[in-house]
Amino acid sequence: MATPVYKRVLLKLSGEALMGTDQYGINRAAIERMVADVVEAKALGVEMAIVIGGGNIFRGIAPGAKGMDRATADYMGMLATVMNSLALADAIKQAGLTPRVMSAIGIDQVVESYVRPKALQYLEEGKVVVFAAGTGNPFFTTDTAAALRGAEMGAEIVLKATKVDGVYTADPMRDANAQRYPTITFDEAIEKHLEVMDAAAFALCRDQKLPIKIFSILKQGALKRILEGEDEGTLVHM
């Protein structure tokens, strides 16, 4: 068995990744495929925490939220991440791993409240910890939650799973000549105005010297290849 490059990681999944080919909601086949990647990663002995967005569910009610107070809409989005976290945890459990969902907002009848020492204990016990409800505050994205929880958990890297296999010189969907950056520094990403993560999340990772790896969740086995040190995605570092 290969020795993983990282011992503890924070995986950031977008809610949209759970949609598969659907317009919104949860596609079971899509979530099971992602969990298969998590199972592969855990087999290497890696401690893993996950933050997931809620855009896939919130997208279905977006027209009704038009014109809504921003804070209210953000709280609705947090609840969407709880729903996604429960679905993800269920798939993780059925795959043979032990998940623990911890929420940044009080919803104790459904999931545990986030408590840092307990989350660290779960990671050390080999459980997969799924952090729900973002940071628990409006105006902050789940990208920021990933950076925050990654720093709190002592993760060695934030792995941001997207639909594109890294950061490119241009939009690879529109420009066939776009080149992928294997690595890039935080300062270079800022200078080039590359949208790696939202500004608050990016600044937190930079300040905490917490590297970010951008990779495609659509590429089967990409997560395992990253953990084994292969050239996959784009590493953003100091």
Side-chain angles (χ1 to χ4, degrees), residues 8-12 49-51 131 146 149-150 155 157-159:
R8 180 177 294 174
V9 302
L10 189 292
L11 175 62
K12 169 59 170 61
I50 302 174
V51 169
F131 294 119
R149 296 292 182 247
I157 192 168
V158 171
L159 305 175

Side-chain angles (χ1 to χ4, degrees), residues 104-166:
I105 58 175
I107 186 169
D108 293 347
Q109 291 89 341
V110 182
V111 296
E112 295 181 57
S113 292
Y114 169 67
V115 178
R116 181 174 177 267
K118 181 62 71 69
L120 289 167
Q121 177 185 332
Y122 286 153
L123 287 176
E124 291 166 359
E125 291 172 351
K127 297 177 174 66
V128 179
V129 182
V130 183
F131 294 119
T135 67
N137 301 286
F139 309 106
F140 291 95
T141 69
T142 50
D143 272 356
T144 301
L148 176 62
R149 296 292 182 247
E152 288 182 304
M153 293 300 101
E156 296 166 272
I157 192 168
V158 171
L159 305 175
K160 182 175 180 180
T162 70
K163 294 182 179 181
V164 182
D165 63 338

Side-chain angles (χ1 to χ4, degrees), residues 58 61-73 76:
F58 197 74
I61 58 175
K66 190 173 183 179
M68 183 179 291
D69 175 76
R70 168 64 188 275
T72 300
M76 291 173 66

